[in-house]
Amino acid sequence: MSRYRLKFLLQEFDLRGPEMVLGRSPDCHITIEDPLVSRRHAKIVMADRPMVVDLESRNGVSVNGERIRGSRPLEDGDRIRIGTQELVFYVVTRTKREARTTGFMTVCNACGTPYPEQSAQCPHCGAPRRDDDTISGLLVEPRRSWTFQLLGEVIERAIATGRAVEADRILRRAAREVDERLAAGERLAGDEVTAITRFAVRLAQLPDGASEWLHWALNVHRHQALFPSPEVLDHLEELDLDALPDAANAIADFARWVDKERDTLRPPPDVERIERLQRISRPPS
């Protein structure tokens, strides 16, 4: 008997029951953090022929690049796009190990349906959550994969649509994960540091931005002995230092640290980039 699954980045979800709802709400069967996704955006109906149904979402549903109206039957390999995210529907024709999610999802012990770990009970069958419901390390990777793959696009979309508060909230959750990894002694890849810190500085640029994001971004670089990438330097140059309390002092202090530790930094910064950072730290009066 065929079974159906939905693949979202590195996560795989078994599609069970009469239907599974996708959306931004933590009460959905599959929760997707994206400001362009409605709280209840779409659902997958498992009838004789599975189909995707648009739940009158704000930004619609596309299948294989084509906007649907109402509903559309699904075939193996169909690519479903909601908001900025793409999910792949496929048919499982042989027995595999159950795909269970980690991080923000848990799996109901009673019916096997994945749902957000914040919920007190399974939204499909109503069974109360048990401590042994969450199982990790099978077919998915830790939630840091989600963080660094989705962070940029989601935050940029949130900022572009005037949802700076939502962008701030998403980045705070990602920043907590980074802080936990650093506290555990983990060494982050340079592109991971660039991905998250350039958006931290980007948020500090906004009219209502907080200078705490600038301090946090610079501290991550210190902790990892990293010199800022060209992308991060670009955002530092765009900061209105007069509008951010202590920002100029923070950058100047960071520049002094770089000058002292330059021989230990990775990648070794060239003279041109060091001079660029120094110019940023000493803006013309």
Side-chain angles (χ1 to χ4, degrees):
M1 179 179 177
S2 294
R3 292 186 292 121
Y4 307 111
R5 278 193 181 147
L6 206 59
K7 184 173 183 179
F8 175 44
L9 294 177
L10 297 178
Q11 300 191 54
E12 296 185 7
F13 301 90
D14 275 317
L15 299 178
R16 300 173 179 270
E19 64 183 36
M20 290 187 71
V21 178
L22 292 68
R24 207 174 70 250
S25 170
D27 295 326
C28 293
H29 295 96
I30 300 178
T31 301
I32 300 176
E33 289 280 1
D34 184 329
L36 298 186
V37 172
S38 299
R39 291 185 60 78
R40 289 172 55 86
H41 196 107
K43 65 180 178 181
I44 308 293
V45 178
M46 275 68 74
D48 291 336
R49 188 176 183 187
M51 65 176 59
V52 59
V53 180
D54 185 358
L55 298 178
E56 299 182 355
S57 62
R58 184 176 66 252
N59 294 303
V61 177
S62 296
V63 176
N64 300 327
E66 214 175 287
R67 181 80 171 258
I68 72 170
R69 294 185 178 277
S71 63
R72 171 169 167 165
L74 292 170
E75 303 288 346
D76 186 32
D78 278 349
R79 309 184 79 84
I80 305 167
R81 191 169 184 85
I82 65 175
T84 63
Q85 313 308 322
E86 188 169 78
L87 307 93
V88 180
F89 172 86
Y90 66 98
V91 180
V92 181
T93 55
R94 61 186 178 86
T95 303
K96 293 185 179 180
R97 291 186 302 173
E98 295 285 329
R100 307 217 180 188
T101 60
T102 60
F104 300 117
M105 302 294 291
T106 188
V107 177
C108 178
N109 191 273
C111 69
T113 300
Y115 65 94
E117 65 180 3
Q118 305 98 313
S119 299
Q121 62 184 35
C122 173
H124 176 60
C125 70
R129 180 184 170 191
R130 287 169 35 179
D131 291 339
D132 61 348
D133 279 355
T134 300
I135 298 180
S136 61
L138 295 183
L139 297 181
V140 300
E141 298 212 357
R143 63 187 177 198
R144 57 173 169 266
S145 300
W146 177 91
T147 298
F148 294 113
Q149 291 193 44
L150 289 187
L151 183 68
E153 189 174 5
V154 172
I155 289 178
E156 282 289 12
R157 292 276 186 170
I159 293 173
T161 54
R163 300 183 179 186
V165 172
E166 189 158 5
D168 182 274
R169 178 178 58 81
I170 294 170
L171 188 56
R172 284 186 188 279
R173 186 162 69 186
R176 283 197 298 272
E177 180 190 337
V178 169
D179 290 341
E180 290 171 2
R181 293 171 65 183
L182 296 182
E186 186 173 344
R187 194 160 183 80
L188 305 184
D191 57 350
E192 290 183 326
V193 175
T194 292
I196 191 166
T197 59
R198 74 188 183 94
F199 287 107
V201 181
R202 176 82 172 86
L203 283 181
Q205 287 176 250
L206 299 180
D208 296 325
S211 60
E212 66 175 295
W213 281 122
L214 172 63
H215 288 269
W216 181 83
L218 296 178
N219 284 335
V220 171
H221 282 85
R222 285 179 191 254
H223 190 284
Q224 296 287 282
L226 276 173
F227 189 84
S229 69
E231 295 92 339
V232 174
L233 289 175
D234 287 343
H235 288 305
L236 289 175
E237 282 184 329
E238 294 168 2
L239 286 170
D240 180 359
L241 299 182
D242 292 333
L244 292 170
D246 301 326
N249 290 335
I251 298 175
D253 184 60
F254 181 76
R256 287 190 292 270
W257 172 82
V258 165
D259 188 57
K260 179 181 177 183
E261 303 290 339
R262 69 169 67 187
D263 293 337
T264 66
L265 301 180
R266 60 182 178 101
D270 54 42
V271 174
E272 181 180 348
R273 286 201 292 162
I274 289 179
E275 290 179 346
R276 185 182 177 192
L277 176 62
Q278 289 174 342
R279 286 196 299 271
I280 296 171
S281 68
R282 295 193 297 266
S285 56

